[in-house]
Amino acid sequence: MLEVQDINVYYGAIHALKGVSLEVKEGEIVSLIGANGAGKSTILKTLSGLLKPRSGAIQFMGKAIAGLPAQEIVKMGISHCPEGRRVFANMTVEENLELGAYLRKDNEIKSDLEKVYQRFPRLLERRKQLAGTLSGGEQQMLAIGRALMSRPKLLLLDEPSMGLAPLLVQEIFRIIQEINKGGTTVLLVEQNANQALKIAHRAYVLETGKIVLSGSAQELAESDDIRKAYLGA
Ligand code: ATP
């Protein structure tokens, strides 16, 4: 579904991604793990068109997408749920969700809104509440719900568990798994490698802008190097 070939991404003089290649197959949950600053968010931003690679190629469903405008990429079926949630604080829950469908022209938006409310009953209770007044966990649910409103084929999730209490972390990972079982492919960036490897099919490990390891999530979870570096073993 997604194939990234040897991309190089810079922030000015900073070489943030150094020849990164990876692939995501339809139906998978693939996790990107790595320390702070390794380049995980940069990969997602490049895939969603917020950054342009200086070289390399990105193919999504057989089409070259590197450097396309972000709204074109959303229309093709990639939705990015950014780090820190970035909900529109002064708009209601429902307005935030409707904005997720901004580029759609079909007439199933209302029924998708109902589906998001079924998945996140908390958002239904709070549909008229300003998003800025939601708790951290509720904002994360809203950010995921908003991303789903574009009907993505591939959902990019950046640190969905960040800052959440342990029970909510479990809940968010359970919801990600459900979304995946419903047919959405997921590329998941996580600091919480333990949890991410529990729900992912495969994973890539990133260190200072390079992929240093990849494999099935189970293989990586059992590897001594990974356990020492990322799983606190
Ligand atoms: P974290 O888990 O801390 O979010 P990350 O793996 O997602 O880390 P990135 O945010 O992708 O890391 O950052 C990769 C590198 O690029 C870092 O060295 C970071 O300082 C640098 N970087 C990120 N954004 C910018 C920017 N706007 N300008 C300059 N450098 C940046």
Side-chain angles (χ1 to χ4, degrees):
M1 173 180 244
L2 177 78
E3 202 163 331
V4 176
Q5 291 157 334
D6 198 21
I7 56 168
N8 285 283
V9 175
Y10 291 76
Y11 294 102
I14 296 168
H15 194 178
L17 298 182
K18 301 167 186 160
V20 166
S21 298
L22 59 86
E23 74 171 324
V24 180
K25 298 186 193 111
E26 190 158 4
E28 282 188 313
I29 299 178
V30 173
S31 181
L32 286 174
I33 58 183
N36 289 114
K40 305 180 298 295
S41 301
T42 302
I43 293 181
L44 297 195
K45 287 178 189 161
T46 308
L47 294 175
S48 63
L50 300 174
L51 295 170
K52 198 178 153 123
R54 196 173 285 180
S55 63
I58 306 173
Q59 299 260 336
F60 177 63
M61 318 265 301
K63 297 201 174 84
I65 62 162
L68 287 184
Q71 67 269 27
E72 291 304 317
I73 292 178
V74 175
K75 280 191 207 156
M76 292 170 80
I78 298 182
S79 185
H80 185 178
C81 187
E83 188 172 6
R85 302 159 196 138
R86 304 287 171 86
V87 297
F88 298 100
N90 293 320
M91 297 174 78
T92 65
V93 166
E94 188 142 306
E95 287 164 345
N96 269 272
L97 290 174
E98 284 167 351
L99 270 180
Y102 177 68
L103 293 168
R104 287 174 56 181
K105 294 197 169 66
D106 59 277
N107 48 25
E108 289 173 41
I109 295 173
K110 272 275 171 280
S111 76
D112 281 356
L113 186 64
E114 295 313 318
K115 281 189 200 147
V116 169
Y117 284 142
Q118 274 166 22
R119 195 177 295 287
F120 301 107
R122 286 260 203 133
L123 298 182
L124 178 62
E125 286 162 23
R126 289 154 202 278
R127 66 203 291 173
K128 300 294 172 209
Q129 188 174 327
L130 291 182
T133 64
L134 296 175
S135 73
E138 290 161 354
Q139 288 190 23
Q140 186 59 62
M141 292 176 192
L142 178 56
I144 295 174
R146 184 182 57 187
L148 289 175
M149 286 300 292
S150 71
R151 278 214 170 168
K153 298 185 179 83
L154 173 65
L155 179 62
L156 310 177
L157 291 172
D158 200 343
E159 305 265 9
S161 77
M162 192 166 61
L164 302 186
L167 266 180
L168 260 179
V169 171
Q170 299 289 340
E171 169 88 2
I172 289 285
F173 279 102
R174 186 185 60 71
I175 289 168
I176 295 167
Q177 243 177 338
E178 270 180 28
I179 291 170
N180 174 251
K181 290 200 173 114
T184 309
T185 306
V186 176
L187 181 57
L188 170 68
V189 161
E190 262 298 334
Q191 292 267 348
N192 191 336
N194 250 320
Q195 289 288 346
L197 291 178
K198 277 190 193 138
I199 66 162
H201 301 101
R202 292 187 303 113
Y204 291 88
V205 180
L206 200 65
E207 264 173 31
T208 55
K210 288 186 185 154
I211 305 278
V212 292
L213 258 179
S214 65
S216 77
Q218 197 184 343
E219 262 163 37
L220 292 179
E222 286 166 1
S223 130
D224 282 344
D225 289 348
I226 298 295
R227 291 164 62 82
K228 280 194 204 108
Y230 301 104
L231 302 178

